[in-house]
Amino acid sequence: MSTIEVLTKEDLFIFKKELLQELEAMFARNKQEEPKRWLKTYEVKKMLGLSSGTLQTMRNKGTLKFSMIGNLAYYDYNEVVSLMEKRRVNKARG
C-alpha cells in the first residue's frame, strides 16, 4: 500500500527559505577575495611567469613600477594588471 504525502504552502515556503540559505552560504564560501594591494617579487614572477632576471630588467627599464622597503621590492597589483592590459595582443606574432 502506498502512502500519499501532502505538501502545504507552508512546507513549500520552509523549503524555499532553507534552499535560499544554503545557496547564500555556498556563494559566500565561493566569493573571491580581493587581491592584495602590494605584491612581493616572487608573487609577481609567479603571476606573470617571469624569471628573476626578466623582472629585474623590467624594473631597470621602468617597464614595471615598484617600491623598495629595505631590500624588498613591492609591486602595486593594479599596475601589474595595467601592464598586462597595455601589452595585450590581438593575434599571434609570426
Side-chain angles (χ1 to χ4, degrees):
M1 179 182 230
S2 73
T3 308
I4 297 176
E5 290 186 37
V6 177
L7 293 176
T8 65
K9 284 185 179 182
E10 185 177 338
D11 292 332
L12 291 174
F13 177 77
I14 292 169
F15 172 74
K16 179 179 99 173
K17 187 175 179 181
E18 290 174 354
L19 181 61
L20 286 174
Q21 288 173 343
E22 288 182 31
L23 287 171
E24 286 172 352
M26 182 181 71
F27 284 121
R29 284 191 303 269
N30 293 333
K31 184 179 178 184
Q32 281 188 329
E33 294 179 21
E34 283 195 32
K36 295 190 304 184
R37 169 77 194 274
W38 295 100
L39 304 174
K40 293 181 179 178
T41 298
Y42 78 92
E43 294 170 309
V44 175
K45 287 175 17 183
K46 184 177 178 181
M47 184 176 170
L48 300 179
L50 300 174
S51 68
S52 297
T54 300
L55 187 54
Q56 180 67 49
T57 300
M58 293 174 78
R59 286 196 304 259
N60 292 345
K61 290 183 175 183
T63 305
L64 184 58
K65 295 178 185 176
F66 64 100
S67 296
M68 290 294 292
I69 299 178
N71 291 330
L72 296 175
Y74 292 90
Y75 305 83
D76 185 317
Y77 174 83
N78 293 324
E79 297 235 0
V80 175
V81 171
S82 177
L83 174 69
M84 295 300 294
E85 290 294 329
K86 288 177 189 172
R87 303 222 172 188
R88 182 176 277 175
V89 178
N90 288 332
K91 59 181 178 178
R93 296 179 186 175

